[in-house]
Amino acid sequence: QVQLVESGGGLVQAGDSLTLSCAASGRTLSNYGMGWFRQAPGKDREFVAAISRTGGRTSYADSVKGRFTISLDNARTTVYLQMNSLKPEDTAVYYCAADFQWLPHRATLDPSEYDYWGQGTQVTVSP
């Protein structure tokens, strides 16, 4: 069982930056590919970014490419989402998720492949 706890959300203005953190409780994430997803009111949950368990491969949604960066800490206990040049359309609840993974370089976009999810953190970007 992996417990994931997100933090770092908040209210910012358009153009600002924010970094979200997702910490694994009691274990490392060495065997897990990690992903960030988001869900805006009235919309389906959508993929944002993913990173392989080795950190060697990353994937991004087109809407955030060049603005967001996903990364792992050296201890493999925390995954980050650095968000720059935020836009009002980035407003959503952001969730991190863990995908138990043998493959070292798999960073999946499919939410159904993720095994564990955090509770979410709200990000609100004002115009």
Side-chain angles (χ1 to χ4, degrees):
Q1 188 78 7
V2 177
Q3 290 185 314
L4 302 172
V5 180
E6 301 101 333
S7 61
L11 172 63
V12 297
Q13 293 185 326
D16 285 351
S17 298
L18 206 57
T19 300
L20 304 183
S21 301
C22 173
S25 176
R27 63 166 61 198
T28 72
L29 299 171
S30 300
N31 293 323
Y32 296 87
M34 298 299 296
W36 284 97
F37 295 79
R38 67 187 181 187
Q39 188 167 19
K43 295 188 176 181
D44 293 334
R45 188 171 298 189
E46 66 172 356
F47 168 76
V48 176
I51 189 167
S52 63
R53 66 179 183 86
T54 61
R57 177 168 290 179
T58 56
S59 298
Y60 296 94
D62 288 343
S63 59
V64 307
K65 202 171 292 183
R67 299 189 297 123
F68 291 11
T69 303
I70 188 171
S71 62
L72 285 166
D73 71 334
N74 289 335
R76 295 291 195 270
T77 60
T78 305
V79 60
Y80 302 97
L81 185 68
Q82 172 68 41
M83 306 185 293
N84 298 327
S85 303
L86 282 162
K87 304 175 181 180
E89 51 263 44
D90 294 318
T91 295
V93 177
Y94 283 70
Y95 300 88
C96 72
D99 166 32
F100 185 77
Q101 187 56 250
W102 293 109
L103 297 174
H105 301 303
R106 182 172 174 82
T108 183
L109 285 64
D110 184 353
S112 69
E113 297 192 25
Y114 285 83
D115 305 293
Y116 302 102
W117 292 81
Q119 83 289 349
T121 185
Q122 176 71 46
V123 173
T124 303
V125 184
S126 63

